[in-house]
Amino acid sequence: MKIAIVNDMFIAIEALRRVLMTIAEHEIVWIAKDGAEAVAKCAKNTPDLILMDLIMPVMDGVEATRQIMKRSPCAILIVTASIEQNSAKVFEAMGYGALDAVNTPVLGNQGTPGAALALLGKIASIAKLNGKSPPPLSFPSPPSSVSFSSSTLPSLIAIGSSTGGPKALSAILSRLPANLGAAIVIVQHVDAQFAEGMVDWLNQLTPLTVKKASVGDRPQKGIVLVACTNDHLCLQVNQTLNYVREPIEYPYRPSIDVFFKSVAHYWTSRGIAVLLTGMGRDGAEGLRLLRSVGWHTIAQDKVSCAVYGMPKAAAELNAAVEVLNPDAIATTLLQRTRLNR
């Protein structure tokens, strides 16, 4: 894997270099000391992956991510001294197309082996996303009858998002009122270690109540539930949420397809499913299944996507009834969903 490092601290660059050298397949193609230098180098020699610092002189990692994803897009992993202290910038960078974030490994006795392993684990996951599509998921056909009455279920809005998702989610949720007459469940490709931070961040942007999705939760009107573990969120036969490890080999964690397909199987009232920006094909098959059982399905349009991967896959499968930008998606959700009176 051809990897570039963007960091203004020599000790951090050296720590990253040493970690990368432990894997023979990794090659460092260039190093930049600030975001502006990274933008220029990426335009001339686009790597498979950039390890992007956040806090740098001249141009920070957020703006560098924005410009790179616009001019010469590639996979970007945020590597910062503290994810927790820089959570707002992490989500902003993810909104522009960064895939994930991890703490910078530290050299010497102050460092921990776990930090290096976490970095290599993130790189391995991104390599899977770049290299191949995951195997298709199989679910039995949706049942023709269930014991739980659909009249007792609220309308459900199921949203899946990945690369660039936080920005699209914030644009949509900020336009929805607190008395929205529908339940919302979101599956965003985000690591569990800062998923809770994303929930807090989204709570500041919308009048709706945003919560972590916990085992046993049932979707409720006016509540936004967000998948918050590295396992897959799924709906069960009793319309409550659960987390499952299988399929273990699936590179997308949590998987949008796993959730969408469980919804098609067990949520007996019709709803709206939305597939937002992201790398790969996760969610496309699930969106097609939801359309086949009567759901109104929406894919984000190419112009507004940070990465037009997942929505493109949905369009190729004819899985989306509509293709819209985030503002138009919010308008459609309002038009198709009654408010609580």
Side-chain angles (χ1 to χ4, degrees):
M1 200 172 189
K2 295 181 179 180
I3 300 175
I5 297 173
V6 185
N7 203 296
D8 65 317
M9 301 293 291
F10 172 79
I11 192 168
I13 293 171
E14 182 62 17
L16 293 172
R17 188 186 67 82
R18 292 190 187 184
V19 172
L20 294 176
M21 284 176 58
T22 63
I23 306 296
E25 291 78 13
H26 295 335
E27 174 191 357
I28 300 174
V29 291
W30 50 260
I31 295 172
K33 299 296 181 64
D34 60 65
E37 184 182 355
V39 172
K41 286 188 172 182
C42 190
K44 294 180 180 179
N45 182 10
T46 305
D48 298 319
L49 172 66
I50 296 176
L51 305 183
M52 179 74 72
D53 190 20
L54 281 177
I55 312 301
M56 295 178 291
V58 184
M59 181 186 293
D60 68 9
V62 174
E63 178 60 20
T65 297
R66 186 188 73 81
Q67 293 196 24
I68 286 171
M69 294 306 295
K70 184 177 180 180
R71 301 177 185 182
S72 46
C74 64
I76 297 176
L77 174 63
I78 299 299
V79 183
T80 183
S82 173
I83 289 175
E84 290 186 359
Q85 292 181 13
N86 297 309
S87 60
K89 284 186 173 290
V90 167
F91 299 130
E92 191 176 357
M94 289 181 67
Y96 288 125
L99 288 169
D100 208 337
V102 67
N103 289 325
T104 309
V106 179
L107 294 175
N109 295 331
Q110 294 181 340
T112 60
L117 292 175
L119 173 62
L120 291 175
K122 299 284 188 184
I123 294 173
S125 295
I126 291 170
K128 288 182 182 178
L129 296 181
N130 281 337
K132 62 180 180 179
S133 296
L137 298 172
S138 60
F139 275 75
S141 299
S144 57
S145 63
V146 292
S147 59
F148 201 96
S149 172
S150 62
S151 64
T152 65
L153 296 176
S155 179
L156 178 62
I157 299 171
I159 302 177
S161 56
S162 184
T163 318
K167 183 180 180 182
L169 288 170
S170 65
I172 293 168
L173 295 181
S174 64
R175 297 191 60 198
L176 301 180
N179 63 338
L180 185 73
I184 300 177
V185 181
I186 295 171
V187 175
Q188 159 76 41
H189 294 161
V190 64
D191 193 276
Q193 68 176 318
F194 54 96
E196 188 169 352
M198 189 179 75
V199 169
D200 294 338
W201 178 70
L202 289 173
N203 251 321
Q204 299 172 24
L205 303 174
T206 177
L208 292 160
T209 299
V210 185
K211 296 181 177 180
K212 295 186 297 181
S214 299
V215 174
D217 281 349
R218 180 176 281 120
Q220 302 177 51
K221 289 182 181 180
I223 304 295
V224 181
L225 297 175
V226 181
C228 281
T229 80
N230 291 332
D231 289 329
H232 306 302
L233 184 71
C234 67
L235 195 72
Q236 301 181 109
V237 66
N238 64 353
Q239 285 81 37
T240 63
L241 297 172
N242 192 23
Y243 288 99
V244 295
R245 296 196 66 195
E246 297 294 334
I248 193 70
E249 76 283 356
Y250 214 62
Y252 310 104
R253 306 191 72 85
S255 165
I256 300 163
D257 266 331
V258 169
F259 179 64
F260 278 4
K261 292 185 178 186
S262 71
V263 169
H265 191 61
Y266 294 125
W267 195 264
T268 54
S269 68
R270 300 294 177 259
I272 306 169
V274 182
L275 188 61
L276 300 175
T277 173
M279 179 185 293
R281 300 182 60 86
D282 191 31
E285 289 282 356
L287 197 73
R288 179 170 65 173
L289 180 59
L290 284 167
R291 181 176 186 179
S292 74
V293 295
W295 281 53
H296 188 81
T297 55
I298 303 171
Q300 187 173 347
D301 68 346
K302 182 177 181 179
V303 174
S304 65
C305 280
V307 177
Y308 188 54
M310 299 186 327
K312 179 182 179 182
E316 291 171 347
L317 294 175
N318 196 30
V321 175
E322 293 187 284
V323 177
L324 304 170
N325 64 41
D327 286 344
I329 291 172
T331 299
T332 298
L333 296 181
L334 282 169
Q335 290 173 345
R336 299 184 68 89
T337 306
R338 293 181 178 179
L339 302 181
N340 291 323
R341 299 299 182 184

